[in-house]
Amino acid sequence: MDHVVVVGAGLAGVRSIEALRAGGFTGRITLIGEEHHRPYDRPPLSKAVLLGETDSTVVDSDLDALDVRLCLGTAAKGLRDGVLETTEGELEYDGLVIATGATPIRLRGEGRQHVLRTIEDALALRERLVPGARVAVVGAGWIGAEVATAAAKAGCAVTVVEAGESPLAVALGPAVGSHTTDWYARAGVELRLGAMVGTVDPDGLTLMSGARVPADVVVTGVGVRPAVDWLKGSAVRLDDGVVVDEHLRTSLPNVVAVGDCANWWSRRFRTRLRVEHWDTALQAPDTAAATLLGEEAVYDPVPYFWSEQFGHMVQFAGHREAGDRMVLRGDPRRDAKWSVCWLTADDRLAAVLTVDRPRDVVQGRKIIESGRRLDPLRVADAAVALRDC
Ligand code: FAD
């Protein structure tokens, strides 16, 4: 293999290049990125950048030392066997990494709506988070909660409009999500649950019910879609992202996919997973690069992510299914720190969520990896370390 092209200059893209070089690849590497920036980290955009603590989150990677040809401001448009079509012309490849991430979903309406995906998005929003500004955030998911945290800290009058019956209902289920409802009130944020947005208007939101939410600033945080439209019509199979096997191989030879856009087969959980979190973009490229270099590598992680909201560190590891049994560690109504474990029918740990209890997530992740059984009664006792359950 002489020439590898990496499409998407985000974390997964740059990590793929590092992994290829670490794996001994000495051929040419070209990095194609639609944005005009060198690869940067996105998690700080809704935290340190919005809070005004930093303006730059560039990934600490020496692309010059990695001997990469950088093509920024260039978008991939299509793919044939061995040829990538871009806005700047065609490019032949021997190996290809698809790492084009995801794009935010927008709502209907004529009004201006901010989304939060790029550094430009974050800087533009930060400028408008001034004391007294009326900010309507649509969606009480991970991004919505972090934006509401920053906006409230900036002295804005914040309303969060959420279609579900609790915050984080989609990610964690309403029973767990409802334990975060108080966080909004304590931060002075108004939370409207069960409210569907109809349109974004120049002066706020109109709900499906006809009610209005007046606002100077509207932020939409209702999820993302994998950025794979450019692959439509190619031989790469798409289904909620790029479909890859456990080696991160796509349906086209010598083409792999990683990060937010990749929908991989998980041996461990016996299902397909597409995980839109930082740790996946960081780790999966090791497997993708090894696969391209002809090694037998399998990607089979216990997914992990974190969120910082309303002064709490929220962490999650694993993968939960609808039938898993929830066991609380601590009482969220009384205790500042608590966790939730999801156990399978045969008492194995499927997933763990922790609120300011980092030890539980570290130990829980190892237990999920081991696949061993737990004693549910001990799990329910927050005084017993999870590793001793
Ligand atoms: P991306 O970072 O999206 O990079 C993909 C790149 O490909 C982009 O630069 C894009 O412009 C480019 N691209 C797209 N299409 C094309 C094309 N056709 N041609 C060329 N280039 C293209 N995760 C956590 O675990 N914890 C957090 O607290 C957390 N906070 C987050 C906060 C924010 C505001 C956001 C947006 C994400 C957050 N995440 C968090 C998620 C995490 O940042 C992502 O999972 C990670 O960035 C995914 O990396 P990626 O390289 O797959 O995709």
Side-chain angles (χ1 to χ4, degrees), residues 7-13 32-35 42-43 45-47 74-76 99-102 116-117 143 146 227 230 258-261 276-279 281 304-307:
V7 190
L11 179 65
I32 306 287
E34 190 168 20
E35 292 186 70
R42 293 181 206 276
L45 300 183
S46 50
K47 306 171 184 74
T74 303
T100 44
L116 194 47
R117 186 76 197 176
I143 297 285
E146 293 191 352
W230 65 278
V258 280
D260 281 11
C261 70
E276 298 155 355
H277 294 299
W278 188 85
D279 192 60
Y304 163 81
F305 69 86
W306 81 99
S307 168

Side-chain angles (χ1 to χ4, degrees), residues 158-314:
V158 188
T159 304
V160 175
V161 179
E162 164 59 47
E165 57 184 286
S166 83
L168 300 171
V170 177
L172 303 175
V176 176
S178 63
H179 293 308
T180 71
T181 302
D182 276 358
W183 300 353
Y184 289 74
R186 273 190 233 131
V189 172
E190 187 190 348
L191 177 63
R192 293 211 196 169
L193 296 171
M196 288 281 285
V197 171
T199 52
V200 178
D201 307 320
D203 56 354
L205 302 170
T206 302
L207 305 184
M208 290 294 220
S209 63
R212 303 232 47 250
V213 179
D216 307 307
V217 183
V218 171
V219 189
T220 304
V222 295
V224 294
R225 286 199 187 93
V228 294
D229 279 358
W230 65 278
L231 287 162
K232 281 184 183 159
S234 76
V236 170
R237 195 175 144 222
L238 302 176
D239 185 7
D240 183 28
V242 178
V243 175
V244 288
D245 64 10
E246 57 200 9
H247 310 287
L248 303 179
R249 262 189 313 235
T250 70
S251 52
L252 201 60
N254 297 321
V255 180
V256 292
V258 280
D260 281 11
C261 70
N263 182 332
W264 82 91
W265 173 255
S266 165
R267 260 192 202 176
R268 183 187 306 279
F269 297 106
R270 309 198 56 71
T271 186
R272 291 208 150 272
L273 295 178
R274 192 175 65 75
V275 174
E276 298 155 355
H277 294 299
W278 188 85
D279 192 60
T280 304
L282 184 78
Q283 310 288 353
D286 288 333
T287 303
T291 298
L292 268 190
L293 297 176
E295 289 158 30
E296 188 62 20
V298 170
Y299 186 58
D300 196 18
V302 172
Y304 163 81
F305 69 86
W306 81 99
S307 168
E308 294 160 42
Q309 45 183 280
F310 304 110
H312 297 283
M313 174 58 95
V314 181

Side-chain angles (χ1 to χ4, degrees), residues 44-203:
L45 300 183
S46 50
K47 306 171 184 74
V49 175
L50 272 196
L51 291 169
E53 293 162 3
T54 184
D55 288 351
S56 168
T57 68
V58 172
V59 173
D60 183 16
S61 181
D62 189 346
L63 290 173
D64 298 331
L66 290 166
D67 192 16
V68 179
R69 182 174 156 233
L70 255 184
C71 301
L72 298 177
T74 303
K77 291 195 309 183
L79 188 63
R80 307 193 302 274
D81 195 8
V83 180
L84 178 76
E85 296 158 22
T86 80
T87 47
E88 305 301 314
E90 295 193 341
L91 204 59
E92 291 187 3
Y93 67 82
D94 305 307
L96 187 86
V97 181
I98 299 172
T100 44
T103 0
I105 295 168
R106 289 167 191 271
L107 298 170
R108 281 187 304 143
E110 301 296 307
R112 178 172 180 193
Q113 54 185 300
H114 290 261
V115 292
L116 194 47
R117 186 76 197 176
T118 66
I119 183 76
E120 284 87 359
D121 293 339
L123 295 175
L125 176 58
R126 185 173 82 188
E127 216 165 82
R128 304 199 64 200
L129 299 184
V130 293
R134 295 167 308 166
V135 177
V137 180
V138 186
W142 304 114
I143 297 285
E146 293 191 352
V147 169
T149 303
K153 261 199 182 163
C156 304
V158 188
T159 304
V160 175
V161 179
E162 164 59 47
E165 57 184 286
S166 83
L168 300 171
V170 177
L172 303 175
V176 176
S178 63
H179 293 308
T180 71
T181 302
D182 276 358
W183 300 353
Y184 289 74
R186 273 190 233 131
V189 172
E190 187 190 348
L191 177 63
R192 293 211 196 169
L193 296 171
M196 288 281 285
V197 171
T199 52
V200 178
D201 307 320
D203 56 354

